[in-house]
Amino acid sequence: SQVCSQCGIKDGPKPLHIREWTCGACGAHLDRDINAAVNVAKAAGLAVSACGARVRPGHLVPAQREETGTHPKPKPVTTGRQAGISVL
């Protein structure tokens, strides 16, 4: 990952043989794979602080009334005579 998971500064590309690096902006010592995993988790909104911060927001926004429930299927239009195999 090119982005420091501690401060968010883009430090630029690194060759694959560089497995650990120190952020030039904040001085954090980072493992390449762990740093990338932390950045992915943050991007997915799953990061939890060491203090035990909540993963989900404290309140959920309910769906609007017109979005709730199921929608009835339209009934088929029938005529006096059903389509299909004719009576012999």
Side-chain angles (χ1 to χ4, degrees), residues 32-72:
R32 181 186 195 111
D33 296 329
I34 294 172
N35 182 64
V38 170
N39 285 338
V40 169
K42 283 182 178 180
L46 300 176
V48 178
S49 74
C51 298
R54 298 173 67 123
V55 175
R56 296 181 182 178
H59 64 282
L60 299 176
V61 178
Q64 298 297 316
R65 185 160 182 83
E66 60 272 4
E67 295 175 353
T68 61
T70 58
H71 300 283

Side-chain angles (χ1 to χ4, degrees), residues 1 3 5-6 19-21 29-41:
S1 177
V3 178
S5 61
Q6 299 296 309
R19 305 311 302 162
E20 296 178 355
W21 54 283
H29 186 73
L30 304 162
D31 175 276
R32 181 186 195 111
D33 296 329
I34 294 172
N35 182 64
V38 170
N39 285 338
V40 169

